[in-house]
Amino acid sequence: MKFFIDTANLDQIKEANELGILDGVTTNPSLMAKEGIKGPANAIKHYKAICKLVNGDISAEVIATDLKGMIAEGEHLAKIDEKIVVKVPMIKDGLKAIKYFNSVGIKTNCTLVFSTGQALLAAKAGATYVSPFIGRLDDISYDGIQLIAEMVQMFAVQGFETQVLAASIRNPVHIVKCAQVGAHVITSPLEPILALLKHPLTDIGLEKFLADHKKVNS
Ligand code: G3P
C-alpha cells in the first residue's frame, strides 16, 4: 500500500518525506486555501515547490466544473511536472475529462467518490486513482472501510488497473484497516501517520533500557 500525505503544507510534506515512507501527495482547493495560496500563478508556484520535495505522484485539483474548462486547466497543470496527477470531481463532465486525459496519457485522480457505482464509472473512464472519502462517510454513519473493501474487490474481479486511494483519513486505525482490506493507496494528514509510530510500551521500554544502561555506564 502506498502512503500519500493529504496536505499542501510544505513543512508537513517535508517531515513525512523524511520518514522515508512517503509515495506521493494529494491536495485539494480547501487544503490550498488553508495555506493561504491565492490565484492560479501562486498555485502553480506551490505545486512546483511540492514537486521538488517529493518523488511520487502529486495530485492537483481542477477548479473548473465544465468539460472545456477542466481540460484546459488539467493540461496546464500537467505541464508543471510529470509528477502531476490531475484531480477531477466525480461529475458527468469530470468523467468525460478523465476519459480525455487518459487518451492523452495524463494521470487522473477522480475525487469526491462515495459509492462503488461512482468508482466503477471512474475506472471505466480510465482514472489512475479513485478517491473514496471514508471519514466523511463514517461521519454520516456509513462504513467507509467497508466501501474500500468493496471497491478493491470489484476492481480485482474486473481487472481494472485503477487504484483505490482511500482519502478523508481521520486516524491511524483507518490507515491500518485500509491496508488490511487491500487499499492500493491511502492519503492522510501527517498526524494519523505519526500516530502509527506510537505505543506507550515502546516509550516505557526505551526509558528502562536507557536507565539500565546508565546504571552501569556512569
Ligand atoms: O483528500 C480528501 C480529503 O482532504 C478530505 O478530508 O478530512 O476534509 O474529509 P476531510
Side-chain angles (χ1 to χ4, degrees):
M1 185 175 81
K2 286 187 263 184
F3 271 59
F4 289 179
I5 187 163
D6 195 27
T7 183
N9 182 283
L10 297 180
D11 290 335
Q12 290 185 13
I13 292 171
K14 226 179 277 171
E15 188 175 340
N17 200 33
E18 280 166 6
L19 287 174
I21 50 91
L22 197 66
D23 301 299
V25 180
T26 53
T27 63
N28 63 38
S30 303
L31 295 171
M32 293 289 276
K34 203 170 160 193
E35 300 309 311
I37 295 145
K38 224 171 154 185
N42 284 326
I44 301 242
K45 213 169 126 197
H46 201 75
Y47 292 135
K48 278 188 183 162
I50 296 176
C51 289
K52 261 196 194 155
L53 287 178
V54 178
N55 196 15
D57 283 350
I58 317 288
S59 286
E61 189 160 341
V62 296
I63 304 298
T65 54
D66 64 295
L67 180 59
K68 218 173 139 196
M70 280 190 262
I71 288 177
E73 220 182 306
E75 286 189 325
H76 197 56
L77 289 169
K79 280 191 190 121
I80 298 174
D81 195 293
E82 60 182 19
K83 295 173 189 169
I84 293 287
V85 174
V86 178
K87 207 169 175 186
V88 176
M90 170 35 81
I91 55 177
K92 213 189 270 181
D93 273 5
L95 207 58
K96 295 177 193 170
I98 288 167
K99 180 90 190 157
Y100 168 78
F101 289 131
N102 188 36
S103 75
V104 295
I106 293 174
K107 287 187 187 178
T108 53
N109 175 352
C110 184
T111 190
L112 290 167
V113 168
F114 294 92
S115 74
T116 42
Q118 290 178 322
L120 180 59
L121 286 177
K124 278 293 285 179
T128 315
Y129 299 105
V130 59
S131 286
F133 281 24
I134 63 173
R136 292 191 195 182
L137 280 169
D138 288 359
D139 288 346
I140 58 159
S141 292
Y142 282 83
D143 187 344
I145 295 294
Q146 178 61 27
L147 181 67
I148 299 296
E150 286 169 14
M151 284 181 189
V152 167
Q153 192 244 8
M154 180 176 73
F155 285 2
V157 167
Q158 293 296 327
F160 285 126
E161 283 177 17
T162 303
Q163 298 178 48
V164 177
L165 193 172
S168 186
I169 297 273
R170 300 279 166 77
N171 57 60
V173 177
H174 268 158
I175 300 178
V176 172
K177 287 200 167 161
C178 280
Q180 287 168 338
V181 300
H184 306 101
V185 192
I186 58 95
T187 189
S188 166
L190 182 61
E191 300 76 35
I193 296 174
L194 292 179
L196 286 172
L197 273 168
K198 284 283 164 201
H199 197 288
L201 290 179
T202 304
D203 298 339
I204 293 166
L206 183 60
E207 206 177 311
K208 180 152 176 24
F209 283 158
L210 295 179
D212 289 345
H213 175 82
K214 202 173 169 189
K215 267 186 222 160
V216 292
N217 286 283
S218 57

